[in-house]
């Protein structure tokens, strides 16, 4: 039995407004946050919590990161939006700097992760028709079961989660789903009309599922005349202790999709990153976005690009601390992950993931369950070692109530 958090009028009033006027597409914990700094947030009651979700990794550099706020403030005072009808002085540097970070030639800036995925699908299809020579409207893309690539109608068309798909058809055709981690199934699914394999190098929403050793290298080897599109929206930009999660396996995808942390938790910024022979298939008028690549987004994104390399060593070191403690923690039936990113399964006798996350919230640590027994732990990469231990102490107590 989980008792509710102590709630005053301020919290109850906020929750009533949300219940009455915000669509019920989320079931949040009963916490109403009013400010954040680093790895900490404060609720309307004045209680402080350690944030172990970090905006699903959009907040890799912490809340109110002073360098990201300075970049945003400086740009807010100059110009925030030009539309792509005109040029502006942040777009070129942002694209060049992000391309260099990822090791590619070109960037297609968009806003949300789902848009990066949609754009990646369009680029792959067009590449298939123009470069590979697939017959019109025949292009197919192979994806993995258990995937999460966003919420648009095309993207949920190839979700295997009944909750994400149910009642939203008809769906976009052209996708083949294979089990994640199964190279033989992937090889069998790649046919003459296949233009791309679209995968998360670590499946975040599925519960931080790391594929078997050698899988990503095997995917790379199978993608000879097919684009390997890595959705690094959640796994990229430092979370695993690398710029890209694929790097840990020495694998270089053809197309990299980025989002979440690219906007530093300040603005939505996403991108498709690839070489000229791939992204060059788009010509004026064929794709676009009113807000994609706007000056504010680019200014924040440029500071993110500077921050990523700086946080990698500490992410690897604290990631080892996190995983060593989790592996030794009683009450968990599985521990997965890379870097400062873990999915843990709670023993059913202890409670559901939701119950443990509610106990943790009462103890001043915020995280969220995903799929029944699973909790996801993804603190801001700037969390101090002492705060990480504080959060893990609370988890240990929540598993032993
Ligand atoms: C969150 C996520 C997305 C979708 O990003 P949105 O900004 O919510 O549209 C896509 N792919 C992966 C791997 C994600 O984790």
């Amino acid at each position: 039995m989980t008792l509710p958090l102590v709630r005053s009028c301020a919290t109850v009033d906020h929750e009533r407004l949300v219940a009455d006027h915000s669509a019920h597409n989320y079931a949040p914990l009963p916490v109403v946050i009013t400010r954040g700094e680093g790895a900490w947030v404060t609720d309307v009651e004045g209680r402080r919590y350690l944030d172990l979700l970090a905006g699903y990794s959009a907040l890799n550099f912490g809340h109110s990161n002073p360098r990201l706020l300075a970049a945003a403030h400086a740009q807010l005072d100059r110009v925030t939006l030009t539309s792509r009808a005109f040029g502006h002085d942040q777009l070129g540097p942002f694209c060049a700097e992000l391309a260099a970070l990822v090791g590619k030639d070109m960037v297609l800036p968009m806003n949300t992760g789902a848009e990066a995925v949609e754009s990646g699908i369009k680029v792959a299809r067009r590449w298939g028709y123009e470069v590979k020579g697939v017959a019109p409207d025949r292009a197919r893309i192979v994806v993995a079961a258990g995937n999460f690539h966003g919420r648009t109608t095309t993207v949920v068309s190839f979700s295997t989660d009944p909750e994400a798909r149910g009642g939203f058809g008809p769906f976009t055709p052209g996708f083949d789903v294979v089990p994640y981690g199964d190279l033989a199934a992937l090889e069998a699914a790649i046919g003459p009309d296949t233009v791309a394999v679209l995968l998360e190098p670590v499946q975040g929403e599925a519960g931080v599922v790391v594929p078997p050793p050698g899988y990503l290298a095997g995917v790379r080897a199978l993608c000879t005349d097919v684009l390997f599109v890595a959705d690094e929206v959640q796994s990229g930009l430092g979370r695993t202790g690398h710029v890209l999660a694929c790097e840990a396996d020495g694998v270089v995808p053809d197309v990299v999709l980025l989002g979440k942390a690219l906007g530093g938790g300040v603005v939505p910024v996403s991108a498709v990153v690839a070489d000229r022979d791939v992204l060059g298939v788009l010509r004026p008028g064929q794709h676009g976005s009113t807000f994609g690549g706007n000056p504010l987004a680019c200014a924040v994104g440029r500071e993110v690009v500077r921050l990523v390399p700086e946080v990698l060593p500490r992410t690897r070191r604290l990631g080892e601390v996190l995983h060593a403690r989790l592996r030794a923690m009683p009450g968990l039936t599985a521990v997965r992950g890379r870097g400062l990113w873990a999915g843990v399964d709670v023993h059913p006798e202890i409670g559901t993931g939701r119950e443990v996350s509610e106990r943790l919230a009462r103890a001043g640590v915020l995280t969220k369950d995903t799929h029944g027994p699973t909790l996801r732990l993804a603190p801001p990469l700037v969390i101090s070692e002492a705060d990480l231990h504080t959060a893990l102490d609370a988890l240990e107590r929540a598993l032993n109530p």
Side-chain angles (χ1 to χ4, degrees):
M1 217 355 238
T2 307
L3 297 169
L5 288 160
V6 179
R7 288 143 84 205
S8 77
C9 293
T11 303
V12 172
D13 287 350
H14 279 97
E15 287 181 351
R16 185 174 312 117
L17 283 176
V18 169
D20 289 349
H21 301 293
S22 167
H24 293 185
N25 55 331
Y26 280 89
L29 292 177
V31 173
V32 181
I33 293 165
T34 185
R35 54 189 310 128
E37 193 184 359
W40 290 88
V41 292
T42 306
D43 74 6
V44 291
E45 320 274 355
R47 277 185 299 241
R48 295 178 80 224
Y49 305 81
L50 272 167
D51 180 359
L52 253 61
L53 194 60
Y56 300 102
S57 293
L59 288 156
N60 277 2
F61 313 101
H63 294 270
S64 309
N65 182 293
R67 280 173 51 186
L68 293 174
L69 289 188
H73 283 142
Q75 192 60 42
L76 276 172
D77 291 338
R78 294 172 56 215
V79 62
T80 51
L81 186 67
T82 58
S83 88
R84 294 290 303 277
F86 315 118
H88 66 78
D89 61 5
Q90 297 299 308
L91 180 67
F94 169 63
C95 292
E97 288 157 16
L98 179 60
L101 180 76
V102 174
K104 298 284 186 197
D105 298 333
M106 292 180 116
V107 169
L108 167 63
M110 298 296 288
N111 308 284
T112 65
E115 280 180 306
V117 175
E118 290 270 356
S119 307
I121 290 168
K122 287 175 72 177
V123 167
R125 285 179 169 182
R126 184 159 276 252
W127 174 89
Y129 300 128
E130 288 198 355
V131 180
K132 182 168 168 169
V134 172
D137 292 341
R138 296 295 300 268
R140 303 199 65 80
I141 294 176
V142 182
V143 298
N147 69 71
F148 183 86
H149 297 288
R151 300 293 197 170
T152 59
T153 37
T154 286
V155 169
V156 300
S157 295
F158 54 89
S159 169
T160 56
D161 177 358
E163 204 84 280
R165 284 169 60 90
F168 297 124
F171 297 115
T172 305
F175 298 95
D176 298 300
V177 184
V178 296
Y180 189 61
D182 183 341
L183 280 176
L186 181 68
E187 183 168 18
I190 295 176
D193 292 336
T194 304
V195 297
V197 173
L198 167 62
L199 290 175
E200 298 156 87
V202 175
Q203 288 190 326
E205 300 299 308
V208 195
V209 176
V210 179
Y215 178 66
L216 296 175
V219 174
R220 177 66 282 180
L222 288 174
C223 291
T224 46
D225 64 344
V226 168
L227 297 176
F228 178 9
V229 183
D231 182 348
E232 295 253 13
V233 168
Q234 193 166 158
S235 57
L237 302 176
R239 179 52 59 192
T240 66
H242 301 271
V243 175
L244 303 178
C246 284
E247 266 173 40
D249 293 52
V251 165
V252 180
D254 299 301
V255 178
V256 176
L257 310 178
L258 296 171
K260 291 198 167 104
L262 190 55
V266 180
V267 279
V269 187
S270 69
V272 180
V273 189
D275 279 334
R276 206 161 282 117
D277 58 342
V278 177
L279 261 183
V281 298
L282 290 182
R283 285 176 288 278
Q286 296 175 346
H287 190 62
S289 163
T290 302
F291 293 99
N294 70 71
L296 182 61
C298 290
V300 172
R302 291 180 71 188
E303 196 59 32
V304 166
V305 168
R306 285 183 208 110
L307 280 164
V308 169
E310 295 177 24
V311 298
L312 299 181
R314 75 186 318 277
T315 302
R316 275 182 231 166
R317 189 172 58 77
L318 292 185
E320 280 166 27
V321 172
L322 170 71
H323 284 278
R325 281 205 60 184
L326 290 175
R327 279 195 300 271
M329 206 172 279
L332 299 176
T333 58
V335 177
R336 298 172 296 271
R338 289 253 171 90
L340 266 178
W341 199 21
V344 299
D345 296 344
V346 174
H347 194 287
E349 279 173 10
I350 290 169
T352 62
R354 174 80 188 195
E355 284 162 350
V356 173
S357 67
E358 287 175 3
R359 276 178 219 153
L360 271 172
R362 279 201 308 283
V365 175
L366 296 181
T367 183
K368 190 78 200 307
D369 56 301
T370 170
H371 305 292
T374 303
L375 281 182
R376 186 170 18 180
L377 309 175
L381 308 180
V382 296
I383 192 172
S384 73
E385 186 164 354
D387 286 345
L388 181 62
H389 280 294
T390 301
L392 290 166
D393 292 343
L395 176 62
E396 208 159 75
R397 283 192 298 273
L399 292 170
N400 188 10

